[in-house]
Amino acid sequence: MTGILSGIIFISLATAARAEGTNSVSATPPKPDLLATCPVSGDKLGDMGKPYVFVYQGQEVKLCCPSCKEDFDKTPAKYLKLIRAADKKPAK
């Protein structure tokens, strides 16, 4: 019984450590993506159906479709910069 409990605790700790800097579940909520357009294609979110939403390194990312994820994965810093710039724009 103690061995099973130790294993569960170890797996939990390993998962928590892995969550930092990945797409894994985190204890803190992600920063919201405030863009109204897909940072990859520039298309308005919702024009192609429900946006493809995921979390990357603590940042929520909304793309117009799942196929844009491949381009996002090639240069995520480029697209995160666009998303985070939207956070800095004053609300109208």
Side-chain angles (χ1 to χ4, degrees):
M1 182 73 166
T2 305
I4 294 172
L5 185 56
S6 296
I8 291 170
I9 291 171
F10 174 76
I11 290 170
S12 297
L13 291 174
T15 302
R18 190 183 83 229
E20 185 64 33
T22 69
N23 291 337
S24 299
V25 176
S26 175
T28 58
K31 296 175 193 167
D33 179 349
L34 302 178
L35 280 178
T37 57
C38 174
V40 176
S41 69
D43 292 336
K44 184 178 176 186
L45 294 174
D47 280 356
M48 297 178 64
K50 190 175 178 179
Y52 180 76
V53 181
F54 62 99
V55 175
Y56 181 83
Q57 295 184 351
Q59 173 68 58
E60 177 185 55
V61 178
K62 296 178 188 173
L63 305 176
C64 64
C65 62
S67 62
C68 282
K69 177 78 163 70
E70 185 177 321
D71 287 333
F72 177 90
D73 287 339
K74 290 177 186 173
T75 54
K78 172 183 173 181
Y79 301 113
L80 287 176
K81 185 176 179 180
L82 295 172
I83 293 168
R84 291 180 178 153
D87 290 345
K88 296 178 176 121
K89 291 183 180 178
K92 293 181 181 180

